[in-house]
Amino acid sequence: MLLRQYRKSHPMKIIYPAYGSKTKTTRTVGRSFQALVLMLGITVAMFGGIGSRLAYLQLVEGTRNRQLADNNRIRLIPKQPERGSIFDRKGRILATSRLSHSVYIWPMAPKKPEWDSTKQRLAQILQMPAAEIQQRMDKAGVNSPSLIRMARDINPAQITALAEYKNQLKDVEVYIEPIRSYPNGQIAAHILGYTGEMNDNTLAEKRQEGYRLGDVIGQMGVEAAFEKQLRGEWGGQQVEVDGKGRVLRYLGEKKARSGQNVHLTIDLELQKAAEKTLGDRQGAIVALDPRTGGVLAMVSRPTFDPNVFSKRITPAVWRSLQKKDHPFVNRALRGFPPASTFKIITATAGLESGKFSPKTRLQTYGCMNIGGTRFCDWNLAGFGVLDFPGALAWSSDTFFYQIGRGIGGPTLIEWTRKFGFGRKTGIELAPEEAKGLVADDKWKRANYDLPWKVGDTVNMSIGQGFLQVSPLQVAVMFAVPASGGYRIKPHLLRDNEEAKKWRESLNIKPSTVQTVRQGLRQVVASGTGRALSSPTIPPAAGKSGTAETYKQKSHTWFGGYAPYNKPEIVVIAFAEHSGGGGGKICAPMVLKVMEAYFHGQKAKGEVGSR
């Protein structure tokens, strides 16, 4: 109706095309409806796409997007847990925590205009490269749910400087938190290890266990071996921040949970005595209880101060550490030729083989020709006719050449492995412990494309050749005659009941044990270990060793136990490339450690029978 009225009052005017066509166009209303339909279609498509996208974002990715939003507005002000302390067998502190100041940065800081000046000022105060600060921030990212730690254990001057420039460092926070402390400095460094921030590789491995960027972790020693017990659990305050990173309100707090304490078998006073005894000499000392396997002391030189790793390591500090000859290698757990200390095993194998008896007596020589090779005694003259105890006392090489040749390589190798050589001892520091090497025909063919020969057996019979054992393994070897024929498992955890009770019988005849023990006693009473014959300790037994090395000074050894009739302690001293003989270089070290042990026992009224 309205349309008719409009047409009467507004008659249509027909316009012809300019190019001369005279065809009249009569459809105008239909064209308007087409445009309307087209516009409606476009509108529906647009709103449909938007709607479907909104539905996808809300229904499919809603949880993820909410999480991202929360990450943008919720931050965690972390509170580091106090790491569990480490004590010696008598409850004296070996490692603990102390309070220190640490520097953190809000993750949104790099997005602010003043970031460059903040970064440069902070680098100047903390004495660290600005590039390192940037790298730490980039790793965490602006969406990090927690603050990013830049430095630990800053000094008073740095604390003062941060306070003075507070207006320029608005995104920088200083918090008091516990940091690892080793009150005895270098003492027991290789046992305890140290802690430090995780690198990228370790973080990737440990992230599923709850570790985060900047977390501190045990890097070696007991700190690494008992990380789960010592670690504790992070806490902190959860806060809501605005787009500029400013705190709007506190949402809650989770208390940090301290780690568990760990008690070791180590005796701090004995450890100090062993450290002083070894001094600056490169090598190792091990003391253990042959009855339980508990490690009483374990020293390695050169060493380091684990306290330096409780804060950022400067290039200068790192260079000073590298000047030493591998200070982080625990030489008590690394392999070396055992030299004549190994004659304990050769004697045992010879007696147990049935080819030699406790009454065996052999002529010794200055040199012997075996398999076309000349093998000489260490004194180049021989010692006349000797029995097993006498051969051990004087450490006659030619006596034991004959024993090795008589029983053959396979038998000697079998007994070497029975004593625990060629495999790890079971101590808790497994990642740092070397298995050593007990070579055989298969190994030699694989590595040298040559068969095992009698000369290899003869070399092995006096602890030379391919044989590689650690000072700890040698201590376990000495514990076999000391315990009456049992192999024990060395351990550091005081409450390791399984290790304390673990003893493996080697099924050695009592007569063999008695013969070997008699020989080790003669070493001290009248042989190469007379330095250990002292009224300051109970009667002791032992064995010296001097290992030849290629174009360098020889290694020296001495191992002993006391009291002879009821052993309480085994002590091994090893001096790397010391030159000289084991009886002169290492036996006095063993004596000093035993004196410290028995003096301590006497003070408690627990000294053994003399």
Side-chain angles (χ1 to χ4, degrees), residues 493-554:
L493 186 64
R494 188 187 67 182
D495 299 325
N496 191 339
E497 296 299 327
E498 179 184 354
K500 284 192 288 186
K501 295 176 181 178
W502 189 93
R503 298 208 314 169
E504 180 182 54
S505 173
L506 301 189
N507 298 314
I508 301 173
K509 295 191 293 283
S511 60
T512 297
V513 174
Q514 182 181 356
T515 301
V516 173
R517 287 182 58 134
Q518 184 182 351
L520 298 179
R521 175 63 187 139
Q522 284 190 29
V523 169
V524 174
S526 58
T528 59
R530 286 190 294 273
L532 211 62
S533 183
S534 171
T536 58
I537 63 171
K543 184 71 190 76
S544 60
T546 304
E548 296 179 0
T549 59
Y550 183 68
K551 292 186 178 181
Q552 295 189 66
K553 290 182 178 180
S554 58

Side-chain angles (χ1 to χ4, degrees), residues 14-25:
I14 301 174
I15 301 176
Y16 293 96
Y19 49 80
S21 173
K22 296 183 180 180
T23 304
K24 295 181 179 180
T25 302

